[in-house]
């Protein structure tokens, strides 16, 4: 396929049509990339990214059934198919109007029979990716290494009981960092695919955690050595594939990073489907990571909590997107991170156009969430109510508690002087009703 050849020939650049009808799903009704809200373009608040693995390598296979998605770009030798797939992907990104994409080393280029051969394939594929990036202006949000699919990683990568396997993972990450630099990736993600355990009987947890921390330290050192300027991210997930994953949720990862002195080198890439698998609400880990100054990026998807699997669905729930965007605005944005659609069309959604419909719907859900969050914040009703709720910490004894200078003796004196506190209503339903007004 030559560079100028069009693959999705019946589809042109997706327009913004705020007045389009309900059945028109091939346009944005809320996402207007250049519109400025709270001092920033929508595209800058949202920083959308398409993930390469689900959208261009996904086949629809699941643990119970075979391939259902027969993509016409999978033709020829593995390298020929990889090149065609990449060109198709760039046409898709351009028509959709996203500025970023994400990929694993092994979905960009097929694995060879030796490390050297895999690296050669990656060199060839990333030459083409760089050319396409320069032609289109599309950039890499993040690169990651697939340290979980190959059988060698069945007992883990950085936490493997055999150092030979750990070394293979290290060699793979070394190359991953080099291609991140070559392609100007803005972030680099570590998802601990098989970093965890299925049985405690055969596992030395303390050793595995220390090895994983030392593995990250090697990555930090090499990043600095080659002058790679991107943000490192860890993506928490509580289960699947292991019974226990070390990077269980945001707070587990923050604790791990602080314990091993890695907190200044990493932030978190939060995936809400993983958050709900951990038994938390959709927005929970985004809020927690942000509260610790550690929210770096979001894998914008959703699960079906009633199923309890990692279903990687496209995020379409406006309440959720509103809560997420409110948190993102409050922390001043997500840059250099973004909203990466780590989501796959259902194996029953077999038309090629479903790939567009899914991304457009999810982008619009987040654009609508952004608009809602902006209105909530501009009106200031809820913010004002929360401020009032905590107002006793703005003066006197409360101010001293807030800045850490108060003592228990002062608490006692205060209560002796002021007696029993007047207990105030938490007003949960009032907050919920006001929130519903905006969505
Ligand atoms: C797995 C997952 C991964 C990471 C990158 O559940 O989310 O796709 O985002 O390896
Ligand atoms: Co993910």
């Amino acid at each position: 396929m030559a560079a100028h050849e069009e693959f999705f020939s019946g589809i042109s650049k997706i327009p913004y049509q705020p007045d389009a009808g309900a059945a028109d799903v091939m346009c944005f009704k809320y996402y207007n990339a250049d519109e400025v809200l709270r001092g920033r373009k929508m595209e800058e608040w949202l920083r959308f990214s398409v993930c390469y693995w689900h959208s261009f390598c996904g086949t629809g296979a699941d643990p119970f059934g075979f391939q259902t998605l027969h993509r016409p770009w999978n033709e020829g030798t593995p390298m020929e198919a990889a090149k065609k797939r990449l060109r198709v992907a760039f046409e898709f990104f351009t028509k959709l109007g996203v500025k970023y994409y994400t990929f694993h080393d092994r979905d960009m280029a097929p694995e060879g029979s030796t490390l050297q051969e895999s690296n050669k394939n990656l060199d060839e594929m990333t030459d083409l990716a760089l050319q396409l990036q320069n032609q289109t202006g599309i950039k890499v949000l993040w690169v990651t290494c697939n340290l979980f699919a190959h059988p060698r990683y069945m007992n883990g990568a950085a936490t493997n009981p055999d150092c030979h396997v750990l070394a293979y993972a290290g060699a793979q990450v070394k190359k991953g960092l080099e291609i991140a630099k070559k392609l100007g990736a803005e972030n680099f993600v570590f998802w601990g695919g098989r970093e965890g355990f299925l049985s405690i009987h055969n596992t030395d947890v303390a050793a595995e955690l220390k090895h994983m921390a030392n593995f990250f330290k090697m990555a930090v050192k090499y990043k600095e050595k080659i002058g790679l300027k991107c943000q490192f991210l860890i993506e928490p997930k509580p289960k699947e594939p292991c019974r226990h994953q070390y990077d269980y949720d945001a707070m587990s990862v923050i604790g791990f990073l602080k314990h091993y002195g890695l907190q200044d080198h990493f932030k978190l890439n939060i995936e809400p489907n993983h958050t709900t698998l951990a038994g938390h609400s959709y927005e929970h880990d985004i809020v927690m990571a942000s509260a610790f100054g550690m929210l770096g990026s979001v894998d914008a998807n959703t699960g079906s909590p009633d199923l309890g699997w990692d279903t990687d669905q496209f995020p379409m729930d406006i309440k959720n997107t509103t809560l997420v965007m409110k948190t993102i605005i409050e922390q001043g944005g997500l840059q250099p991170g973004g909203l990466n659609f780590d989501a796959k069309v259902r194996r029953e959604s077999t038309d090629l156009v479903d790939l567009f419909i899914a991304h457009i719907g999810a982008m619009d859900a987040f654009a609508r969430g952004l608009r809602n969050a902006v209105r909530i914040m501009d009106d200031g009703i809820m913010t004002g109510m929360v401020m009032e709720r905590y107002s006793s910490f703005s003066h006197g004894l409360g101010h001293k508690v807030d800045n850490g200078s108060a003592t228990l003796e002062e608490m006692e004196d205060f209560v002796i002087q002021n007696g029993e506190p007047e207990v105030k209503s938490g007003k949960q339903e009032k907050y919920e009703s006001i929130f519903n007004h905006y969505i």
Side-chain angles (χ1 to χ4, degrees):
M1 183 173 164
H4 59 273
E5 204 179 317
E6 223 181 336
F7 189 82
F8 301 102
S9 54
I11 297 170
S12 41
K13 177 126 200 312
I14 305 302
Y16 171 57
Q17 286 172 350
D19 300 325
D24 193 351
V25 289
M26 288 296 279
C27 62
F28 298 114
K29 296 167 194 167
Y30 297 88
Y31 181 54
N32 187 16
D34 290 328
E35 189 178 328
V36 174
L37 297 172
R38 281 181 94 90
R40 204 174 281 180
K41 286 183 183 178
M42 288 185 89
E43 70 171 13
E44 291 164 353
W45 280 121
L46 296 159
R47 295 174 59 83
F48 289 130
S49 163
V50 171
C51 91
Y52 195 64
W53 54 100
H54 286 314
S55 291
F56 295 94
C57 308
T59 65
D62 74 5
F64 310 97
F66 306 129
Q67 176 167 12
T68 59
L69 307 175
H70 298 278
R71 302 307 197 193
W73 49 78
N74 291 324
E75 289 174 350
T77 65
M79 280 300 278
E80 282 165 0
K83 286 183 186 170
K84 180 162 185 185
R85 198 184 299 130
L86 195 62
R87 290 186 186 281
V88 171
F90 271 79
E91 187 190 326
F92 181 83
F93 308 152
T94 309
K95 290 189 166 170
L96 189 62
V98 294
K99 294 269 168 70
Y100 291 96
Y101 72 111
T102 54
F103 67 93
H104 297 79
D105 49 358
R106 299 298 181 245
D107 41 63
M108 165 76 71
E111 178 143 13
S113 53
T114 60
L115 180 71
Q116 294 88 321
E117 199 186 314
S118 301
N119 287 353
K120 188 171 157 288
N121 290 349
L122 259 178
D123 287 338
E124 205 174 318
M125 287 307 302
T126 48
D127 283 348
L128 177 60
L130 192 57
Q131 186 193 317
L132 293 166
Q133 284 181 212
N134 290 338
Q135 269 168 25
T136 58
I138 287 157
K139 297 185 275 187
V140 177
L141 185 70
W142 51 259
V143 178
T144 188
C145 288
N146 185 326
L147 305 177
F148 46 89
H150 193 281
R152 81 173 72 85
Y153 295 124
M154 71 178 186
N155 291 304
T159 61
N160 199 287
D162 180 354
C163 186
H164 195 146
V165 180
L166 186 148
Y168 212 108
Q172 213 178 307
V173 166
K174 175 176 178 288
K175 184 67 180 177
L177 296 174
E178 289 162 9
I179 61 172
K181 178 154 192 224
K182 173 175 173 181
L183 298 182
E186 299 190 14
N187 303 268
F188 190 94
V189 164
F190 295 86
W191 170 55
R194 294 186 192 272
E195 313 297 21
F197 53 87
L198 286 115
S199 169
I200 196 63
H201 298 306
N202 66 5
T203 306
D204 183 342
V205 168
E208 291 197 356
L209 285 168
K210 185 168 75 178
H211 297 164
M212 186 162 73
N214 288 341
F215 187 87
F216 287 141
K217 286 177 187 170
M218 288 187 242
V220 169
K221 211 164 165 188
Y222 193 66
K223 175 193 178 205
E224 284 166 1
K225 181 175 172 186
I226 64 173
L228 169 61
K229 294 276 176 279
C230 73
Q231 169 74 58
F232 271 1
L233 299 166
I234 295 187
E235 183 175 324
K237 185 174 180 180
K239 54 185 163 184
E240 283 191 11
C242 296
R243 191 168 160 214
H244 177 80
Q245 301 273 148
Y246 291 127
D247 300 329
Y248 191 91
D249 63 358
M251 294 310 296
S252 312
V253 174
I254 291 169
F256 168 85
L257 290 172
K258 295 209 173 191
H259 182 78
Y260 290 102
L262 285 159
Q263 69 276 9
D264 296 335
H265 300 286
F266 288 82
K267 285 193 173 173
L268 272 54
N269 179 40
I270 300 295
E271 179 168 321
N273 196 166
H274 298 173
T275 307
T276 54
L277 281 179
H280 303 307
S281 64
Y282 186 92
E283 73 286 354
H284 179 274
D285 272 11
I286 286 172
V287 171
M288 296 308 279
S290 183
F292 281 79
M294 298 288 273
L295 178 64
S297 202
V298 173
D299 266 7
N301 69 3
T302 189
S304 285
D306 48 330
L307 274 178
W309 304 332
D310 192 19
T311 53
D312 288 333
Q313 291 161 237
F314 280 86
M316 298 283 184
D317 183 305
I318 309 302
K319 172 177 168 277
N320 289 338
T321 59
T322 302
L323 281 168
V324 170
M325 288 316 300
K326 183 165 169 285
T327 308
I328 289 173
I329 298 172
E330 281 166 353
Q331 72 161 35
L334 213 43
Q335 63 287 349
L339 297 176
N340 172 51
F341 293 116
D342 187 356
K344 55 189 176 201
V345 289
R346 301 302 82 199
R347 73 193 297 269
E348 303 83 4
S349 299
T350 49
D351 294 341
L352 212 45
V353 72
D354 292 328
L355 211 48
F356 274 95
I357 294 171
H359 282 89
I360 295 166
M363 288 165 75
D364 242 10
F366 266 96
R368 199 165 152 188
L370 170 63
R371 289 182 186 279
N372 291 346
V374 164
R375 284 194 299 125
I376 291 173
M377 293 170 80
D378 285 352
D379 281 3
I381 298 171
M382 294 180 75
T383 323
M385 283 163 60
V386 174
M387 269 177 68
E388 171 58 27
R389 193 160 186 243
Y390 290 86
S391 59
S392 64
F393 289 95
S394 63
H395 56 275
L397 182 65
H399 186 60
K400 291 188 79 177
V401 170
D402 198 61
N403 67 26
S405 64
T407 64
L408 286 185
E409 292 90 324
E410 287 173 284
M411 303 290 121
E412 186 183 48
D413 287 347
F414 185 88
V415 173
I416 289 170
Q417 273 171 37
N418 293 281
E420 195 63 33
E422 183 197 327
V423 179
K424 298 185 190 88
S425 168
K427 300 260 165 286
Q428 179 175 327
E429 301 78 5
K430 182 173 176 186
Y431 283 88
E432 287 166 346
S433 299
I434 295 174
F435 182 79
N436 279 350
H437 173 83
Y438 294 100
I439 59 172

